[in-house]
Amino acid sequence: MNYSKVNNIVGWICFLIATLTYVLTLEPSASFWDCGEFIASAFRMQVVHQPGAPLFLMIQRFFSIFAAGDLTKIAYWMNVGSAVSSGATILFLFWTITALAKKTIIKAGEELNTGKLISIMGAGAVGALAYTFSDSFWFSAVESEVYAQSSLFTAIVFWAILKWEAHADEPRADRWLLFIAYIMGLSIGIHLLNLLTIPALAFIYYFKRTDKATTSGIVKTLIVGILILAVIQYGIIQYLVSFGAYFDLFFVNTLGLGFGTGVLFFAILLIGALVWGIRYSIQHQKKLLNLGLISTVLIIFGYASFSMIIIRAKADPNLNNSAPKDAFSFLSYLNREQYGDRPLGYGPNYNSERTGVTEGKTIWRKGKEKYEVAGKKTDYEYSNNTLLPRMYSDDPRHAGFYKEWMHLDDSKHPNLVDNVGFLASYQIGYMYMRYFFWNFVGRQNDEQGQGSGFEGEWISGIKPIDSWLRGDQTNLPPSTIDNKAYNRFFFLPLILGIIGALWHFKRNQKDAGVVGLLFFFTGIAIVLYLNQKPLEPRERDYAYVGSFYAFAIWIGLGALALKEWLFKKLTPTAGAIGATVIGLLAAPVIMAEQGWDDHDRSTKLVPHDIALDYLQSCAPNAILFTYGDNDTYPLWYIQEVENVRPDVRIVNLSLFDTDWYINGLRQKQNESAPLPITMKPEQYVQGERDVMPFDEKLNGNIELKDIVDLLLSDNDGDKVMMQDGTKSNFLPTKNLKITVDPQQVVSTGTVSAADASKITTEMDWKFNKGYVTKGTLAMFDILAHNNWKRPIYFASTVPSEQYNGLDKYLYSEGLAMRLLPFKADTAATEDRPEQLNTPVLYNNVMTKFKWGNMKTAKYLDPQSSDDTFIFTNIFSSLTNSLIKEGKIDEAKKVVDKYFAVMPDKFFGIRTVVVKFYMAENLYKLGETARANDILEKSGEYINKELNYLADISQSKGLTGSQNIQTGLYYLDRMIKTSKAAGQDKVSDKLQKIFNSLEGRLSMFFPQQAPQ
């Protein structure tokens, strides 16, 4: 039987299985996190966040064509693009495994019999399908993110080096190496993870070109591989652009030529040098030099996809992150300078004291005729520096985490041993091995893990082992067993992979070492390089899929080991079939069966609908302040792609401190007029008014317009002296005000005439920070000069410190809070004071909002389930407000809507909290049965959750204190509420639960138990 034909057929079958899986389970619209930005930018060819992904955007733009003009299907087809890319990754993984398997079990000149053919194909299928259904890869395969295409390019490169190896002794075989160089260049335009395969590729080249490997040769190859990686990462990606930028600086500022002439000269110089070098290598038969130079050219060709970034940035699209239009802004964009630096080899700890400041490199910006100095990069000097600083963040939350995790007291300055301990236990043990085990051992649930030990962990399903490692697992709580991400693989994929690795090292040490090197560089090496801070806003397992890919190779080879070790007495064909079947059952089958329900996003529309609801919360021509990724990127998507509410101007406060972002806000975008920003560009360019201190000079409330004028003043008399001898604008008071003309407020429709009596003539508030940033100044400028012409909103998820003290003037109208000049309510005494614009909110909830299929979706990811808390709170607050106003019929309609669209499920203790307030309202409305049902179910949920926490507390030490405190507190409130409503049966039932829990938990929390 023809090996190549069978290999191709089975490989394509694996491709079809994988692609069909991903298409069936992909999200029908935009997902959370970066997906909304990527889809919007791909559709309109815009500029995404640093360091960009131009080739990814162009490929996704191609897939959008299949939507055939239906704007609501653009996201779906881009998600299909990720699904197809992921399916193709599985195809190349299959061919990689079969190539390694064939090379290992078929000796030179040996005939390929049926048994060995089945064994090879079986190994490829087992490994490829195991990776197909691995948790992290599957997650990225069903959404429009860079990681699917990044994995594909990694798979192509590793497959191509094996093709080169197989044909290395044939004429023109090095074309495979040139192909790899070009693919790597292209991959830079998607993600840099592909480059981490280079050390492994170097070893394949070395072993093929060397008759006998030596220790010194292996060390040299490793060094060369790392050097090649460094040359591409820094030399080509960064320093080529850096040289071009500084050439341009010389040509513009010294020679007086136009912008771009230096870059053009450098490009001609570089091209000339490469052409000369290639001609020289041909003339003098320098084959290695020729290979290296042509590879360099091809990498640069592939890297040239970044020209799209500059071209589109110059067109000033709506999404133009960093606006990299010139050499220096493009260099900053590539270097990810907006994200700051982190120490790697040597640096401070979290409690090291700053001892001085040193000036770093000059920061340049493009002026009208020349490049101008925007400032100097400052580098702080610290005491108590250490090697391998892993606990370096001085954020108070991070510092507290470091001390708790490593059991350090306040006086302790961590040394090298402490930092290595944190690296091993947290950065590798928790933030890598936990993810690795998710994929090949099992997963407890999809809750965000923060090191608590009781959520977001890996779990095997073998209770004695799980209990030994994680505390008593006998009575697992609903947050685990009812969570669709409760996946149990019983260690089987892990064991199969370990067997495959051991077999591989025994049979072919060189190839096994190469796979091991790939595993290391795409796993542990990333951990070392990223040097992650704790308390990340999301799980980061997607960064390590390359190492899971490498391990999947060994899972596949594990099937070969099974055949050799377990089926010695069977015929070769029977043994091959048996090993393949066992391998399939032990890895891909169990992984697919357990993982399907928590990867099936096919019915979920939460990001799409919540974006729509954010915009529908706003009045026409509104200005909406947002802050985080998940309250910004979906909005960008639905506005830029589906053209929903193009009149609303979205202002991301996280980007507001940059000049390029303020420039964009001063332009018309879609149907939104420029914002009322009076600042001139030269007043807020990079390096101007970045941070201005507070220095109290004035008493009383000062008009905001006067404050803005003072902050923008160029008069030295309006500035204060800084420590470095420079002068800076400053904030002279925190007591601010805006004088309000009620007639203007009514005439613009901000407030209805019926509510005119509520309008204050003077909005006064206290600014809540000790400094003013450029973004805060821009917000002040808008507030001072808007004159109520455009409605102003804050997204409900914006941190309260970003309100800049305006809290008492913000009224909820749904997912956004509107700035309204109402007289402050000084009589509010509720536990949860919340200001609502009730009529507008009622209309939004009952007629405008969509609910993302929350109630019927097959699976809600953690971000979507978080939104159920937000919506439940909106329903509860609106119901309570309507009850206060005596609008009982409307309140009951809101309650009915709640039960029609919100899921009945509990998503953690927080669900208990928001459901409790709904139950309170239900009692007030006479909806006793519904209220009782909520409280009884909540009591049962708390009982199971807290008993589990008591179990693991007794067996492994105290943990989960926050959930215990919250659970007991609200259980106590439920008892009192049901008793006050005359529901003694419910109250007694809850009291029994409380007494039981209090008895179990009082030894751990005697001071916390409610009375």
Side-chain angles (χ1 to χ4, degrees), residues 911-923:
T911 306
V912 170
V913 176
V914 291
K915 281 180 177 285
F916 165 73
Y917 292 110
M918 181 55 77
E920 276 191 326
N921 291 325
L922 290 169
Y923 279 134

Side-chain angles (χ1 to χ4, degrees), residues 3 7 14 89-105 119-131 155 158-159 162 503-504 511 515 548-560:
Y3 172 84
N7 193 38
C14 289
T89 303
I90 300 306
L91 173 65
F92 285 101
L93 173 58
F94 174 85
W95 286 337
T96 296
I97 296 171
T98 56
L100 290 170
K102 182 183 178 185
K103 182 181 173 186
T104 302
I105 68 173
S119 294
I120 293 169
M121 296 303 121
V126 169
L129 294 177
Y131 191 59
F158 202 72
W159 165 81
L162 295 178
W503 178 88
H504 202 200
D511 282 357
V515 176
F548 307 155
Y549 179 96
F551 192 77
I553 294 174
W554 282 331
I555 290 178
L557 297 181
L560 294 178

Side-chain angles (χ1 to χ4, degrees), residues 172-220:
R172 301 177 64 191
D174 284 356
R175 67 184 186 275
W176 284 104
L177 298 178
L178 299 179
F179 171 75
I180 289 170
Y182 184 56
I183 291 296
M184 282 195 163
L186 289 173
S187 76
I188 298 169
I190 296 173
H191 199 279
L192 297 181
L193 285 177
N194 184 274
L195 301 181
L196 296 173
T197 61
I198 290 174
L201 306 187
F203 273 95
I204 291 177
Y205 185 91
Y206 170 72
F207 290 140
K208 185 64 180 179
R209 292 302 189 203
T210 304
D211 294 331
K212 186 177 180 181
T214 62
T215 302
S216 63
I218 290 172
V219 171
K220 289 176 183 176

Side-chain angles (χ1 to χ4, degrees), residues 441-473:
V441 174
R443 188 172 181 180
Q444 180 188 15
N445 54 37
D446 59 9
E447 294 295 319
Q448 173 84 26
Q450 299 288 13
S452 62
F454 67 93
E455 58 189 3
E457 297 285 350
W458 65 268
I459 200 167
S460 70
I462 303 174
K463 286 198 174 181
I465 295 176
D466 295 334
S467 296
W468 173 58
L469 291 169
R470 194 143 292 118
D472 188 355
Q473 302 289 303

Side-chain angles (χ1 to χ4, degrees), residues 852-869:
N853 296 338
M854 285 183 174
K855 190 174 182 69
T856 58
K858 295 175 182 176
Y859 172 65
L860 292 181
D861 58 85
Q863 287 71 43
S864 298
S865 62
D866 281 351
D867 289 326
T868 66
F869 309 143

Side-chain angles (χ1 to χ4, degrees), residues 39 106 152 277 394 505 604 714 726 885 965:
I39 295 169
I106 305 296
L152 172 58
D394 59 2
F505 274 101
K604 179 172 72 70
D714 291 323
T726 62
E885 295 177 9
Q965 294 172 43

